[in-house]
PDB file of all heavy atoms in Angstrom:
ATOM      1  N   LYS I 272       6.508 -38.488 -17.283  1.00 93.00           N
ATOM      2  CA  LYS I 272       5.692 -39.736 -16.741  1.00 93.00           C
ATOM      3  C   LYS I 272       4.264 -39.470 -16.816  1.00 93.00           C
ATOM      4  O   LYS I 272       3.477 -40.286 -17.141  1.00 93.00           O
ATOM      5  CB  LYS I 272       6.172 -40.096 -15.345  1.00 93.00           C
ATOM      6  CG  LYS I 272       5.535 -41.267 -14.831  1.00 93.00           C
ATOM      7  CD  LYS I 272       5.935 -41.690 -13.443  1.00 93.00           C
ATOM      8  CE  LYS I 272       5.266 -42.934 -12.888  1.00 93.00           C
ATOM      9  NZ  LYS I 272       5.834 -43.345 -11.503  1.00 93.00           N
ATOM     10  N   ALA I 273       3.814 -38.201 -16.334  1.00 93.00           N
ATOM     11  CA  ALA I 273       2.398 -37.816 -16.452  1.00 93.00           C
ATOM     12  C   ALA I 273       1.871 -37.581 -17.822  1.00 93.00           C
ATOM     13  O   ALA I 273       0.697 -37.920 -18.092  1.00 93.00           O
ATOM     14  CB  ALA I 273       2.247 -36.582 -15.579  1.00 93.00           C
ATOM     15  N   GLY I 274       2.749 -37.121 -18.731  1.00 93.00           N
ATOM     16  CA  GLY I 274       2.218 -36.968 -20.045  1.00 93.00           C
ATOM     17  C   GLY I 274       1.138 -36.124 -20.182  1.00 93.00           C
ATOM     18  O   GLY I 274       1.350 -34.858 -19.732  1.00 93.00           O
ATOM     19  N   ALA I 275      -0.035 -36.359 -20.882  1.00 93.00           N
ATOM     20  CA  ALA I 275      -1.047 -35.512 -21.138  1.00 93.00           C
ATOM     21  C   ALA I 275      -1.758 -34.943 -19.820  1.00 93.00           C
ATOM     22  O   ALA I 275      -2.486 -34.036 -19.819  1.00 93.00           O
ATOM     23  CB  ALA I 275      -2.024 -36.078 -22.084  1.00 93.00           C
ATOM     24  N   ASP I 276      -1.564 -35.730 -18.787  1.00 94.00           N
ATOM     25  CA  ASP I 276      -2.246 -35.439 -17.484  1.00 94.00           C
ATOM     26  C   ASP I 276      -1.552 -34.310 -16.735  1.00 94.00           C
ATOM     27  O   ASP I 276      -2.082 -33.675 -15.773  1.00 94.00           O
ATOM     28  CB  ASP I 276      -2.234 -36.648 -16.516  1.00 94.00           C
ATOM     29  CG  ASP I 276      -3.163 -37.762 -17.031  1.00 94.00           C
ATOM     30  OD1 ASP I 276      -4.113 -37.446 -17.794  1.00 94.00           O
ATOM     31  OD2 ASP I 276      -2.966 -38.842 -16.831  1.00 94.00           O
ATOM     32  N   TRP I 277      -0.228 -33.945 -17.216  1.00 94.00           N
ATOM     33  CA  TRP I 277       0.412 -32.915 -16.563  1.00 94.00           C
ATOM     34  C   TRP I 277      -0.121 -31.461 -16.915  1.00 94.00           C
ATOM     35  O   TRP I 277      -0.436 -31.116 -18.082  1.00 94.00           O
ATOM     36  CB  TRP I 277       1.904 -32.860 -17.025  1.00 94.00           C
ATOM     37  CG  TRP I 277       2.739 -31.872 -16.299  1.00 94.00           C
ATOM     38  CD1 TRP I 277       2.989 -30.645 -16.709  1.00 94.00           C
ATOM     39  CD2 TRP I 277       3.348 -32.003 -14.973  1.00 94.00           C
ATOM     40  NE1 TRP I 277       3.761 -29.947 -15.814  1.00 94.00           N
ATOM     41  CE2 TRP I 277       4.102 -30.773 -14.772  1.00 94.00           C
ATOM     42  CE3 TRP I 277       3.463 -32.973 -14.139  1.00 94.00           C
ATOM     43  CZ2 TRP I 277       4.828 -30.612 -13.629  1.00 94.00           C
ATOM     44  CZ3 TRP I 277       4.351 -32.784 -12.983  1.00 94.00           C
ATOM     45  CH2 TRP I 277       5.018 -31.654 -12.751  1.00 94.00           C
ATOM     46  N   LYS I 278      -0.376 -30.650 -15.857  1.00 93.00           N
ATOM     47  CA  LYS I 278      -0.918 -29.300 -15.997  1.00 93.00           C
ATOM     48  C   LYS I 278       0.198 -28.353 -15.716  1.00 93.00           C
ATOM     49  O   LYS I 278       0.428 -27.890 -14.542  1.00 93.00           O
ATOM     50  CB  LYS I 278      -2.107 -29.011 -15.082  1.00 93.00           C
ATOM     51  CG  LYS I 278      -3.278 -29.988 -15.460  1.00 93.00           C
ATOM     52  CD  LYS I 278      -4.402 -29.880 -14.383  1.00 93.00           C
ATOM     53  CE  LYS I 278      -5.663 -30.707 -14.822  1.00 93.00           C
ATOM     54  NZ  LYS I 278      -6.784 -30.558 -13.764  1.00 93.00           N
ATOM     55  N   GLU I 279       0.800 -27.846 -16.723  1.00 93.00           N
ATOM     56  CA  GLU I 279       2.039 -26.941 -16.474  1.00 93.00           C
ATOM     57  C   GLU I 279       1.616 -25.560 -16.063  1.00 93.00           C
ATOM     58  O   GLU I 279       0.821 -24.894 -16.804  1.00 93.00           O
ATOM     59  CB  GLU I 279       2.746 -26.845 -17.805  1.00 93.00           C
ATOM     60  CG  GLU I 279       3.975 -25.880 -17.774  1.00 93.00           C
ATOM     61  CD  GLU I 279       4.894 -26.476 -16.613  1.00 93.00           C
ATOM     62  OE1 GLU I 279       5.368 -27.612 -16.559  1.00 93.00           O
ATOM     63  OE2 GLU I 279       5.311 -25.622 -15.603  1.00 93.00           O
ATOM     64  N   GLN I 280       1.904 -25.162 -14.783  1.00 93.00           N
ATOM     65  CA  GLN I 280       1.563 -23.945 -14.256  1.00 93.00           C
ATOM     66  C   GLN I 280       2.850 -23.194 -13.708  1.00 93.00           C
ATOM     67  O   GLN I 280       2.666 -22.008 -13.274  1.00 93.00           O
ATOM     68  CB  GLN I 280       0.498 -24.108 -13.135  1.00 93.00           C
ATOM     69  CG  GLN I 280      -0.730 -24.799 -13.642  1.00 93.00           C
ATOM     70  CD  GLN I 280      -1.659 -25.232 -12.456  1.00 93.00           C
ATOM     71  OE1 GLN I 280      -2.108 -24.388 -11.685  1.00 93.00           O
ATOM     72  NE2 GLN I 280      -1.824 -26.496 -12.245  1.00 93.00           N
ATOM     73  N   GLY I 281       4.006 -23.807 -13.888  1.00 94.00           N
ATOM     74  CA  GLY I 281       5.261 -23.153 -13.523  1.00 94.00           C
ATOM     75  C   GLY I 281       5.535 -23.272 -11.966  1.00 94.00           C
ATOM     76  O   GLY I 281       6.606 -22.611 -11.521  1.00 94.00           O
ATOM     77  N   TRP I 282       4.849 -24.034 -11.252  1.00 95.00           N
ATOM     78  CA  TRP I 282       5.122 -24.157  -9.781  1.00 95.00           C
ATOM     79  C   TRP I 282       6.446 -24.805  -9.512  1.00 95.00           C
ATOM     80  O   TRP I 282       6.679 -25.859 -10.213  1.00 95.00           O
ATOM     81  CB  TRP I 282       4.091 -24.883  -9.014  1.00 95.00           C
ATOM     82  CG  TRP I 282       2.631 -24.207  -9.110  1.00 95.00           C
ATOM     83  CD1 TRP I 282       1.574 -24.798  -9.807  1.00 95.00           C
ATOM     84  CD2 TRP I 282       2.164 -22.991  -8.628  1.00 95.00           C
ATOM     85  NE1 TRP I 282       0.525 -23.993  -9.783  1.00 95.00           N
ATOM     86  CE2 TRP I 282       0.949 -22.851  -8.975  1.00 95.00           C
ATOM     87  CE3 TRP I 282       2.894 -22.084  -7.807  1.00 95.00           C
ATOM     88  CZ2 TRP I 282       0.122 -21.674  -8.538  1.00 95.00           C
ATOM     89  CZ3 TRP I 282       2.132 -20.906  -7.421  1.00 95.00           C
ATOM     90  CH2 TRP I 282       0.805 -20.765  -7.815  1.00 95.00           C
ATOM     91  N   VAL I 283       7.227 -24.384  -8.499  1.00 96.00           N
ATOM     92  CA  VAL I 283       8.393 -25.003  -8.212  1.00 96.00           C
ATOM     93  C   VAL I 283       8.193 -26.246  -7.456  1.00 96.00           C
ATOM     94  O   VAL I 283       8.628 -27.312  -7.629  1.00 96.00           O
ATOM     95  CB  VAL I 283       9.384 -24.105  -7.351  1.00 96.00           C
ATOM     96  CG1 VAL I 283      10.579 -24.941  -6.823  1.00 96.00           C
ATOM     97  CG2 VAL I 283       9.866 -22.883  -8.154  1.00 96.00           C
ATOM     98  N   PHE I 284       7.218 -26.143  -6.508  1.00 96.00           N
ATOM     99  CA  PHE I 284       6.797 -27.341  -5.731  1.00 96.00           C
ATOM    100  C   PHE I 284       5.335 -27.678  -6.027  1.00 96.00           C
ATOM    101  O   PHE I 284       4.368 -26.905  -5.853  1.00 96.00           O
ATOM    102  CB  PHE I 284       6.952 -27.050  -4.221  1.00 96.00           C
ATOM    103  CG  PHE I 284       8.306 -26.588  -3.902  1.00 96.00           C
ATOM    104  CD1 PHE I 284       8.609 -25.291  -3.439  1.00 96.00           C
ATOM    105  CD2 PHE I 284       9.322 -27.535  -3.821  1.00 96.00           C
ATOM    106  CE1 PHE I 284       9.857 -24.912  -3.209  1.00 96.00           C
ATOM    107  CE2 PHE I 284      10.609 -27.126  -3.559  1.00 96.00           C
ATOM    108  CZ  PHE I 284      10.919 -25.808  -3.181  1.00 96.00           C
ATOM    109  N   CYS I 285       5.139 -28.803  -6.676  1.00 94.00           N
ATOM    110  CA  CYS I 285       3.732 -29.214  -7.144  1.00 94.00           C
ATOM    111  C   CYS I 285       3.653 -30.752  -6.998  1.00 94.00           C
ATOM    112  O   CYS I 285       4.572 -31.483  -6.556  1.00 94.00           O
ATOM    113  CB  CYS I 285       3.620 -28.781  -8.550  1.00 94.00           C
ATOM    114  SG  CYS I 285       4.858 -29.619  -9.769  1.00 94.00           S
ATOM    115  N   ASN I 286       2.367 -31.215  -7.171  1.00 93.00           N
ATOM    116  CA  ASN I 286       2.162 -32.575  -7.071  1.00 93.00           C
ATOM    117  C   ASN I 286       2.482 -33.303  -8.350  1.00 93.00           C
ATOM    118  O   ASN I 286       3.063 -32.713  -9.275  1.00 93.00           O
ATOM    119  CB  ASN I 286       0.726 -32.872  -6.763  1.00 93.00           C
ATOM    120  CG  ASN I 286      -0.319 -32.408  -7.822  1.00 93.00           C
ATOM    121  OD1 ASN I 286       0.019 -32.161  -8.892  1.00 93.00           O
ATOM    122  ND2 ASN I 286      -1.484 -32.352  -7.344  1.00 93.00           N
TER     123      ASN I 286
END
Side-chain angles (χ1 to χ4, degrees):
K272 185 178 179 179
D276 291 333
W277 183 268
K278 298 179 181 179
E279 181 56 54
Q280 300 170 65
W282 301 111
V283 174
F284 304 109
C285 58
N286 64 16

